[in-house]
Amino acid sequence: QVQLVESGGGLVQAGGSLRLSCAASGRTFTGYILGWFRQPLGKEREFVAAISWSGGSTSYIDPVKGRFTISRDNAKNTVFLQMNSLKPEDTAVYYCAGAALKGNWRYWGQGTQVTVSS
């Protein structure tokens, strides 16, 4: 059974940093795109960032550009999201996901809460 398990969420003050991790088990993600999404309370889930298999290609939504960095360690089947200069509007449940084809997010984690206080 494929599992994606996020960790690293928590409560942080505005301007602080957190590093999210997502470990995959049950299969290797060779060739897969890995990404992060977030869902603020009462709102729809939105894409945050993605990274190609090689790590050579990344994409971000505009609100997090320059503050968040996605990376991956294929040997450990893990993807990371380094979040700096956090803002209250970054508060959300963060999910990692895997896609064999661009846009086809097939595998999802259970989510980790990130709360940024002002």
Side-chain angles (χ1 to χ4, degrees):
Q1 182 178 356
V2 177
Q3 278 192 312
L4 296 176
V5 180
E6 302 96 336
S7 61
L11 174 64
V12 64
Q13 288 188 331
S17 299
L18 284 174
R19 188 187 194 214
L20 304 183
S21 300
C22 174
S25 62
R27 65 158 294 145
T28 62
F29 281 80
T30 301
Y32 271 63
I33 300 165
L34 295 178
W36 289 94
F37 290 72
R38 66 185 181 186
Q39 186 169 19
L41 186 64
K43 297 184 179 181
E44 293 189 354
R45 188 178 301 184
E46 66 172 353
F47 168 81
V48 175
I51 187 167
S52 63
W53 161 249
S54 68
S57 178
T58 58
S59 61
Y60 302 88
I61 54 171
D62 286 346
V64 308
K65 284 181 179 178
R67 301 188 297 122
F68 291 11
T69 303
I70 189 170
S71 61
R72 65 191 292 169
D73 183 340
N74 290 334
K76 297 182 179 180
N77 243 9
T78 302
V79 62
F80 306 96
L81 186 66
Q82 178 67 43
M83 305 186 294
N84 299 329
S85 302
L86 282 161
K87 303 175 181 180
E89 51 264 43
D90 294 319
T91 295
V93 177
Y94 283 71
Y95 300 88
C96 68
L101 299 174
K102 186 177 180 180
N104 184 15
W105 299 98
R106 179 177 180 183
Y107 298 108
W108 291 88
Q110 84 289 348
T112 185
Q113 176 70 46
V114 171
T115 303
V116 184
S117 63
S118 56

